[in-house]
Amino acid sequence: NEAYHYSAKLIRLIEALEKYPEYDIELVPVTVLWGRSPEYEGSWFKALFADAWATPSKLKQALNISLYSRENYIEFHKPISLKAAIEKSKVEYPNFSPAHSVVKELNTNFNKYKEAILGPDLSDRRNLINKLMKTETVQDAIRKESIDYKISMFEAENRAKGYLTEVVSDFSYSTLRFAELALTKLWTQLYDGIEVHNFDTVRELAKDYEIVYTPCHRSHIDYLLLSYVIFNRGLMVPHIAAGINLNLPVVGQIMRGGGAYFIRRTFSGNELYTSVFKEYL
């Protein structure tokens, strides 16, 4: 039921290929995100208005253009064969026009690039917890908890929800931008420079794969620096497993906003916690 608006130029290109099938046309996707150029960003205020997944209102888009006229993230991606996209559409979407199928394919590709840069389009924390509570795995664990400990289902559900509230991260793009500015000031005091190699490979893989980063963790600096480097080069920071001892007042919420989720040092024998934690992962 999505409403697509087809570009007149795209329709002309498709008609040209139908008329001259021996030729091909390559489309070069370009991602442009307002305010997503952290290496040039120095304003704490502007950090509040950077692009995120939500479609901006006309007012916010006007603010974006005003604030970030020169501070955008722009990336040119590998070209897509229009001829191949049309042939693919005939197989996968035989009931749709070639223009509809090509636009659908381009939107799918754009969302992949956007997810690599901004991270996945996650529900807010409350909705995510409620969604996890309804999964078959968690519901089975709740019933087992109720039986094993001779407590009501209501109490067992409250325990499960309490565990999820303790664990689940709470990504905040504003928190990330503020942290990026603060860490930039810290690194300039600590280091003469940082060498990063082969990041183009990581950027390309991030579009199609889930990446697990494993810093050596000699100190807390390791994961902060890793996340900073990833964010500073145009990708979304990873979720970070953090010991429950770091879930301190204020600090814990800031860490959640930066992608941390909290894990108990030991939960052997606690089947309900184990189930909800695995389901969240």
Side-chain angles (χ1 to χ4, degrees):
N1 294 328
E2 285 184 85
Y4 288 111
H5 300 282
Y6 312 125
S7 141
K9 181 179 287 185
L10 176 63
I11 292 173
R12 288 199 301 272
L13 293 175
I14 292 171
E15 289 173 346
L17 286 181
E18 289 175 345
K19 188 175 181 180
Y20 303 103
E22 67 274 19
Y23 294 112
D24 193 6
I25 295 169
E26 289 190 329
L27 305 177
V28 180
V30 183
T31 298
V32 180
L33 296 176
W34 296 93
R36 186 59 176 88
S37 185
E39 63 269 29
Y40 298 117
E41 179 58 82
S43 167
W44 300 84
F45 172 72
K46 288 183 182 179
L48 294 171
F49 292 94
D51 252 338
W53 267 95
T55 302
S57 64
K58 290 182 179 179
L59 175 60
K60 184 175 184 301
Q61 190 62 28
L63 280 170
N64 285 347
I65 294 169
S66 302
L67 291 170
Y68 298 112
S69 57
R70 297 183 180 181
E71 296 162 2
N72 306 312
Y73 177 83
I74 302 174
E75 184 174 348
F76 291 80
H77 304 289
K78 290 183 177 179
I80 296 172
S81 163
L82 181 57
K83 188 175 183 179
I86 293 171
E87 291 302 316
K88 182 180 177 183
S89 72
K90 290 177 181 177
V91 176
E92 296 187 0
Y93 311 105
N95 298 322
F96 292 106
S97 68
H100 178 94
S101 303
V102 169
V103 170
K104 192 176 182 69
E105 182 75 13
L106 291 173
N107 281 344
T108 299
N109 270 285
F110 173 70
N111 284 335
K112 284 184 178 181
Y113 295 127
K114 191 172 182 180
E115 183 170 310
I117 297 163
L118 294 180
D121 183 12
L122 298 175
S123 305
D124 65 77
R125 187 168 184 262
R126 177 177 54 82
N127 286 337
L128 179 59
I129 289 173
N130 289 339
K131 183 179 177 182
L132 289 167
M133 285 291 292
K134 294 174 184 176
T135 61
E136 186 178 346
T137 300
V138 172
Q139 284 296 308
D140 287 345
I142 288 170
R143 280 190 288 272
K144 191 172 189 309
E145 183 83 357
S146 174
I147 293 167
D148 290 350
Y149 291 92
K150 296 181 174 59
I151 58 175
S152 67
M153 283 288 289
F154 179 76
E155 188 175 343
E157 284 181 349
N158 280 341
R159 284 187 187 180
K161 197 162 192 175
Y163 291 149
L164 284 169
T165 303
E166 176 186 301
V167 170
V168 174
S169 71
D170 190 17
F171 257 131
S172 161
Y173 205 64
S174 294
T175 299
L176 293 177
R177 298 309 304 274
F178 273 71
E180 192 272 337
L181 293 170
L183 289 173
T184 298
K185 296 182 183 301
L186 176 63
W187 303 146
T188 55
Q189 300 298 316
L190 293 179
Y191 304 122
D192 294 327
I194 300 166
E195 291 185 16
V196 179
H197 303 279
N198 304 314
F199 200 84
D200 287 343
T201 304
V202 177
R203 192 197 309 279
E204 191 60 31
L205 290 171
K207 179 172 66 74
D208 296 310
Y209 297 95
E210 295 178 12
I211 299 176
V212 178
Y213 300 94
T214 53
C216 59
H217 199 15
R218 295 174 69 181
S219 75
H220 291 294
I221 290 295
D222 291 352
Y223 62 81
L224 290 173
L225 186 54
L226 176 68
S227 294
Y228 176 87
V229 165
I230 292 166
F231 185 74
N232 199 254
R233 280 158 178 76
L235 295 184
M236 190 54 162
V237 300
H239 281 76
I240 300 170
I244 193 66
N245 56 297
L246 295 175
N247 189 18
L248 304 169
V250 182
V251 174
Q253 187 55 39
I254 292 172
M255 292 182 70
R256 283 189 202 277
Y261 62 92
F262 293 98
I263 180 172
R264 295 185 179 186
R265 294 297 183 179
T266 177
F267 44 91
S268 176
N270 189 334
E271 293 185 40
L272 182 60
Y273 181 92
T274 302
S275 295
V276 299
F277 185 78
K278 284 184 175 179
E279 190 68 12
Y280 172 63
L281 286 187

